[in-house]
Amino acid sequence: MKIRIDIDCTPIEARTFFGFPNLEPMQDALVQKMHQRLEKKIDELDPDALMRLWLPGGLKGLGEMQERFFSQFLSGMAAAASRDGKKED
């Protein structure tokens, strides 16, 4: 035997019925505070400082990093090709 009860109510009505506290004012205050802090940090954002942090060597450092990745990629490809060549023999 199955008994099914459908209750049509809003979340606020359900929360009140079960006696749960209304946390909306606290949530709104926290969201507002987070919004203010985020706006403050965005206003303080300095693109030059971020680039110095991410790329200490500047664009020259980025070029060197790309060259290292490319050389490692090429050496890996050469090693794979030499392994494949030995398998066929």
Side-chain angles (χ1 to χ4, degrees), residues 2-5 7-8 13-15 20 24 26-28 31 37 40 43 48-49 54 59 61 63-64 69 78-79 88:
K2 286 186 179 181
I3 297 176
R4 181 175 162 175
I5 300 173
I7 300 174
D8 186 22
E13 292 170 339
R15 188 172 41 242
F20 296 145
E24 285 183 24
M26 181 183 68
Q27 290 172 338
D28 291 339
V31 168
R37 291 177 71 180
K40 181 181 174 187
D43 290 341
D48 290 332
W54 292 340
L59 292 178
E64 291 172 0
F69 284 142
E88 292 175 6

Side-chain angles (χ1 to χ4, degrees), residues 37-55:
R37 291 177 71 180
L38 182 61
E39 281 184 341
K40 181 181 174 187
K41 290 295 181 185
I42 288 174
D43 290 341
E44 294 173 356
L45 184 66
D46 181 18
D48 290 332
L50 279 177
M51 289 304 292
R52 283 193 300 274
L53 179 66
W54 292 340
L55 300 170

